[in-house]
Amino acid sequence: MDLSSLFSLQDKVAIVTGASRGIGFSIAHFFAAAGAKVVINSRNQDRLDEATHKLREKGYEVFGIANNIGYPDDRQNLINQTIEKYGQIDILVNNAATNPIFGPIEETDLNLFDKVLDVNVKAPYELSKLSLPFLRQSSAASIINISSISGLSPEKGLGLYSISKAALISLTKVFAKEWGTYDIRVNAICPGLIKTKFSEVLWSDETIREKFLADLPLKRIGEEEEIGSMALFLASQASGYTTGAVFTVDGGFNA
């Protein structure tokens, strides 16, 4: 085994959804640095352009596609444009997520329920299926689903989000079992409290933050790069015999 290339993604094409900032951007950065051609997706064109520019300035091969993967036509368009640009798909990272409500589960409107499930569960499900013909042609196919510790143990006030992330973990295991025969690996990452804009409502509130850190073994909030490095492991041949696994990156929260 050539250890010098164990984490290399040279000549691979990766799609990372929700990648204009935060965890998605960090994953795209790690992949590009490892040699991959990376397609990044976001709903916001300006943020996507900024993210693409930052990575290209470092000499990386990055292509931005602005659309909403909550919509079927946009999911198909993301796959179509990737194939038109690069002709292959080797890695799919389902990172994009939404959480438009914080509060008691009984106050969840049915329209919000549909929106959360469309983005957090249906989109990864459909994007994985749309990518299947191309992943089957890859010599090192990997799907990585970004779930959450909320998917392992529901968080108060995040009931609907927790439900969707639990479903994503189950989806990961189903695809891993069924697609192993195609030599496609499917794994999930469950971040804990990571310092991103998405989770700012939690870490910016001193009372919530201190309560969370009190029982946390590592006594600190995680950084985006700590998810990016785990994703690189799961995308590379370093994890070649790993599928259907759920990795917590949570400072020991679930220890």
Side-chain angles (χ1 to χ4, degrees), residues 161 164 252:
Y161 179 77
S164 71

Side-chain angles (χ1 to χ4, degrees), residues 68-175:
N68 185 343
I69 52 95
Y71 300 142
D73 288 348
D74 282 8
R75 293 193 287 265
Q76 185 68 66
N77 179 259
L78 177 59
I79 301 302
N80 290 349
Q81 285 199 55
T82 300
I83 295 303
E84 182 179 339
K85 178 72 173 178
Y86 294 119
Q88 67 188 75
I89 300 171
D90 302 283
I91 302 158
L92 171 65
V93 180
N94 291 306
N95 169 71
T98 187
N99 182 36
I101 185 171
F102 182 86
I105 193 69
E106 68 271 15
E107 295 179 6
T108 301
D109 181 85
L110 190 57
N111 289 328
L112 290 178
F113 182 93
D114 290 339
K115 179 178 180 179
V116 171
L117 270 293
D118 280 347
V119 175
N120 295 6
V121 183
K122 189 183 291 184
Y125 172 75
E126 286 294 322
L127 283 173
S128 297
K129 291 202 302 176
L130 291 170
S131 300
L132 177 60
F134 310 103
L135 293 170
R136 290 186 67 174
Q137 297 173 26
S138 174
S139 60
S142 175
I143 297 175
I144 303 165
N145 294 319
I146 307 302
S147 182
S148 168
I149 56 171
S150 298
L152 298 170
S153 179
E155 298 286 329
K156 186 177 181 180
L158 297 174
L160 183 51
Y161 179 77
S162 299
I163 290 168
S164 71
K165 289 303 184 177
L168 186 57
I169 291 171
S170 185
L171 182 151
T172 298
K173 292 178 177 291
V174 169
F175 278 112

Side-chain angles (χ1 to χ4, degrees), residues 20 41-50 66-68:
S20 64
N41 153 266
S42 171
R43 292 178 301 170
N44 187 294
Q45 184 70 61
D46 290 339
R47 286 204 299 263
L48 187 66
D49 290 343
E50 182 180 354
N67 58 24
N68 185 343

Side-chain angles (χ1 to χ4, degrees), residues 199-213:
S199 65
E200 187 173 7
V201 67
L202 299 175
W203 56 260
S204 63
D205 184 295
E206 185 176 356
T207 301
I208 296 175
R209 184 177 66 251
E210 293 307 314
K211 183 179 179 181
F212 181 86
L213 293 178

Side-chain angles (χ1 to χ4, degrees), residues 1-10 12 34 232 236-238:
M1 180 180 292
D2 181 5
L3 296 181
S4 65
S5 62
L6 194 58
F7 291 91
S8 173
L9 299 182
Q10 196 68 40
K12 301 295 186 292
L232 177 58
S236 73
Q237 284 306 295

